Amino acid sequence: MMSHIIPAASNALMIKYLESQGFTEVYLDSVLVSTQLLGTADTTLLDTTEYLNYVQRLANATTMNIIADAPIDCAQSTSWTLPQTIAKLEAIGTRRIIIDDQRSLNDPQEFQKQLQTAQTVITNDDTQIIAELDGFIDYGIIGLQERISIAEAAGVVDIIIGQISNLDISAIQNLSVDHNINLVIDNPEINYSAAGQLEPEFILDTYHVSEALTRSAKTISQNMIIKMFMGN
């Protein structure tokens, strides 16, 4: 089975190009948005209001279905709550909203509360919550199994696993038989070939877009400096 590839994007030019290439879905990752707007992947510096406004502008620039994450760690002093963020993303037109367990790696019950809260906020039958599990290196296969069960008990159908390597695929392969597990390519230690072994329904690709964004910025800046000091 060929997995459905969903690329990430961080600006309107990327989105327009992806749409022109026939993609029907795009992931607006808060880490990439932070990198785009602030030059850092540290989303704690990204104000939630700015993030949501930016996502809305990008959503207005495309007819593709939008996937976005609910960055509950964005600017921790903000007045935005998780329910408010979910409601705003749904109002924007986001049809798949990702909640990750990065801020509750050692507290699966807290992650359960976040998922349950998110599910109660959803009003559109077409809107779907996705649970992203990023702590495999911390909690291992038993912890992964526990969090998958928590997500499914909260009514979450789709689960994505991130922050893993090619070597981890075999360890989680048995889980994919009984659960709807999808993957994120978010680091250089995992590739499409290995990810495809799990036969996920979809694969989110954030790593290659991030690399392209960084290389593009460096190239443009270098060319600008050269022109400034050497002329045309």
Side-chain angles (χ1 to χ4, degrees):
M1 180 183 70
M2 178 66 72
S3 299
H4 177 44
I5 306 300
I6 303 175
S10 62
N11 59 55
L13 289 177
M14 284 184 182
I15 284 181
K16 293 292 188 183
Y17 179 74
L18 292 171
E19 189 171 34
S20 73
Q21 297 303 301
F23 287 98
T24 59
E25 291 185 279
V26 64
Y27 175 33
L28 304 182
D29 177 17
S30 62
V31 173
L32 284 176
V33 169
S34 181
T35 302
Q36 175 78 40
L37 297 179
L38 304 176
T40 175
D42 184 0
T43 58
T44 62
L45 301 177
L46 179 63
D47 182 76
T48 303
T49 300
E50 292 176 353
Y51 168 72
L52 293 172
N53 287 341
Y54 192 68
V55 169
Q56 183 161 30
R57 292 190 185 96
L58 295 183
N60 291 340
T62 183
T63 59
M64 289 189 289
N65 293 325
I66 300 296
I67 300 173
D69 49 6
I72 56 176
D73 61 335
C74 279
Q76 296 175 11
S77 62
T78 183
S79 60
W80 285 89
T81 64
L82 178 60
Q84 289 172 330
T85 303
I86 296 291
K88 178 62 175 179
L89 286 171
E90 187 177 35
I92 288 170
T94 304
R95 286 298 166 256
R96 294 211 263 188
I97 301 171
I98 295 174
I99 297 179
D100 68 48
D101 66 349
Q102 280 286 353
R103 299 299 166 188
S104 54
L105 290 180
N106 299 316
D107 189 355
Q109 279 67 45
E110 176 60 27
F111 185 52
Q112 182 178 26
K113 290 178 183 177
Q114 293 169 6
L115 294 176
Q116 290 172 336
T117 297
Q119 292 283 56
T120 62
V121 176
I122 297 300
T123 60
N124 191 317
D125 291 339
D126 294 329
T127 306
Q128 180 182 7
I129 298 297
I130 299 177
E132 180 172 355
L133 308 178
D134 287 339
F136 180 73
I137 192 172
D138 295 294
Y139 45 63
I141 195 69
I142 295 177
L144 184 63
Q145 177 70 70
E146 179 185 13
R147 285 157 180 80
I148 289 173
S149 297
I150 283 173
E152 291 177 341
V156 174
V157 176
D158 280 320
I159 294 162
I160 53 178
I161 299 177
Q163 298 298 318
I164 62 172
S165 70
N166 292 340
L167 298 177
D168 298 321
I169 294 296
S170 59
I172 64 177
Q173 200 153 21
N174 290 335
L175 295 179
S176 65
V177 176
D178 299 318
H179 307 282
N180 190 19
I181 293 177
N182 304 285
L183 295 177
V184 186
I185 293 182
D186 52 13
N187 69 84
E189 302 304 318
I190 185 169
N191 56 41
Y192 285 116
S193 177
Q197 294 177 34
L198 287 181
E199 298 187 346
E201 177 188 342
F202 64 86
I203 298 173
L204 296 183
D205 187 347
T206 64
Y207 171 71
H208 293 101
V209 177
S210 177
E211 285 293 290
L213 178 63
T214 302
R215 286 198 303 268
S216 175
K218 288 181 179 179
T219 300
I220 292 173
S221 299
Q222 183 181 52
N223 289 342
M224 288 176 59
I225 294 297
I226 290 174
K227 288 182 179 296
M228 287 171 62
F229 287 98
M230 301 184 65
N232 296 326

